[in-house]
Amino acid sequence: MDFGLVLQADPPAADVVALMRTAERAGFTHGWTFDSVVLWQEPFVIYSRILAETSTLRVGPMVTNPLTRDWTVTASLFATLNDMYGERTVCGIGRGDSSVRVPGGTPSTLARLGEAMHAIKGLAEGREVDMNGTRVRVPWVRPGSRLPVWMAAYGPRALELTGRQADGFILQLADPFLTGSMVAAVRSAAERAGRDPDEVTVCVAAPAYVCDDDPAALAHARDQCRWFGGMVGNHVADLVARYGTHSSAVPDELTAYIKDRHGYDYAHHGRADNPSTAFVPDDIVDRFCLIGPVEEHLRRLRELRELGVDQFAVYAMHDTRASVVTAYGDHVIPVLR
């Protein structure tokens, strides 16, 4: 199992770069950031610095989207970084949440997302693609270049698109029941499309908080990670709007907890003090996140690995960012990698 570190691109960017350097030394293979350029700094500028100051770490957004940049710009950004530093980027992509909604937009349709993935990957790998009825190719991209495209998904149609087209599947929660069912859906879609299901990389991303197994420590950890249930709830609310409650298309284990959700304030998006996430109960935090002593992290990660998870990406948006990187480097990664 590989391990990634997910950070927000908060200023100063030097702190993000420094923690990514630490993560590489600790054994992490991937460094991810949010891509929401109103709320945080422009990630691709920061990726260039991270790549310059590391030697093996792969970087990318968790996740970008088809709407906030022209597809030729996105492809050129990845291709430029790969040309400068070797092929050490991954394009994580989804429909868009804060990046699109904060400036007043609406997340992408799945049809447009599929077209974007095809165009971005093709252009970054030096192939000719159709853009608005015009055949376009980036002439300076070296033949044989490669850009893996990993798609974030929850709902049945998105899981189908992931299995049919994407190189990887990003699932932003660490609940074993939901992970098992969604990985199975992606693999079935890949098989129906004539692909080898095992070639679709599976990345589970969630907050990890290492603490003692006592009520006070666990309560504090839950409060530090409760924001994540709110973030996931934005996507779940879209699913409920499409499919309704208690739909056979999406499991109650994913949707039931948002019944008391009343709006969402993106001013606190991804923050431990987010007041919009009071509706998230403790059991959802425990299911979606990894909280507790190292032994509990190892137990859950072994369970996820058995379900086909290739990478666990640690969301470090809490008050122990550096220590969770150290704990994973000392006690988790050596055991599971």
Side-chain angles (χ1 to χ4, degrees):
M1 178 180 271
D2 285 336
F3 290 85
L5 177 65
V6 190
L7 300 175
Q8 293 162 336
D10 282 317
D15 289 353
V16 177
V17 176
L19 194 50
M20 289 296 187
R21 285 200 309 267
T22 300
E24 182 184 57
R25 291 195 298 269
F28 287 78
T29 59
H30 288 69
W32 306 91
T33 74
F34 284 18
D35 179 15
S36 188
V37 296
V38 174
L39 298 179
W40 296 284
Q41 293 184 325
E42 167 56 53
F44 284 91
V45 176
I46 301 172
Y47 297 155
S48 188
R49 184 70 175 270
I50 294 170
L51 290 167
E53 297 194 20
T54 58
S55 57
T56 61
L57 198 71
R58 295 179 178 272
V59 303
M62 191 171 282
V63 292
T64 193
N65 66 85
L67 301 176
T68 54
R69 297 182 187 87
D70 186 88
W71 303 344
T72 60
V73 173
T74 303
S76 185
L77 286 166
F78 281 111
T80 300
L81 292 174
N82 284 343
D83 186 69
M84 292 173 68
Y85 301 106
E87 293 181 356
R88 293 168 54 198
T89 66
V90 180
C91 176
I93 193 168
R95 294 175 60 237
D97 181 28
S98 64
S99 54
V100 177
R101 287 178 163 127
V102 167
T106 301
S108 169
T109 64
L110 288 175
R112 186 166 179 82
L113 177 54
E115 293 170 357
M117 289 195 295
H118 174 77
I120 291 166
K121 182 177 177 66
L123 291 170
E125 293 183 345
R127 294 190 299 279
E128 188 177 79
V129 302
D130 184 270
M131 298 284 296
N132 304 311
T134 300
R135 301 301 294 176
V136 179
R137 185 177 68 84
V138 181
W140 50 264
V141 173
R142 290 174 293 185
S145 297
R146 185 169 183 269
L147 174 67
V149 176
W150 297 4
M151 180 177 157
Y154 293 106
R157 293 175 59 243
L159 295 170
E160 173 74 23
L161 176 60
T162 303
R164 189 171 69 246
Q165 184 174 342
D167 300 306
F169 168 40
I170 295 173
L171 176 59
Q172 295 173 85
L173 54 81
D175 173 73
F177 172 78
L178 293 171
T179 298
S181 63
M182 292 182 185
V183 169
V186 168
R187 285 178 168 163
S188 295
E191 192 168 9
R192 287 192 297 273
R195 306 176 67 195
D196 180 353
D198 292 333
E199 291 185 356
V200 181
T201 302
V202 177
C203 174
V204 160
Y209 198 105
V210 179
C211 66
D212 293 335
D213 188 16
D214 69 67
L218 291 170
H220 177 74
R222 290 186 184 109
D223 286 342
Q224 286 291 304
C225 298
R226 200 175 305 277
W227 64 267
F228 184 68
M231 185 189 80
V232 174
N234 296 331
H235 303 285
V236 174
D238 288 344
L239 293 177
V240 170
R242 172 176 288 276
Y243 297 104
T245 56
H246 307 297
S247 168
S248 60
V250 288
D252 287 347
E253 290 83 355
L254 177 62
T255 61
Y257 83 97
I258 70 162
K259 64 181 183 302
D260 295 324
R261 178 183 183 270
H262 303 290
Y264 187 86
D265 183 359
Y266 281 95
H268 305 278
H269 188 58
R271 306 291 186 187
D273 61 352
N274 190 335
S276 299
T277 60
F279 71 92
V280 180
D282 286 354
D283 71 295
I284 287 293
V285 181
D286 290 344
R287 281 174 45 206
F288 285 11
C289 308
L290 271 65
I291 290 172
V294 165
E295 293 74 20
E296 175 60 21
H297 290 245
L298 290 170
R299 184 196 66 78
R300 178 83 70 85
L301 289 167
R302 287 189 176 104
E303 189 174 0
L304 292 171
R305 184 173 63 179
E306 287 300 311
L307 294 170
V309 174
D310 301 296
Q311 179 182 150
F312 179 64
V314 174
Y315 273 102
M317 293 89 182
H318 47 57
D319 59 2
T320 62
R321 292 196 319 167
S323 64
V324 76
V325 170
T326 300
Y328 265 62
D330 290 345
H331 304 295
V332 176
I333 294 174
V335 176
L336 295 179
R337 202 163 117 186

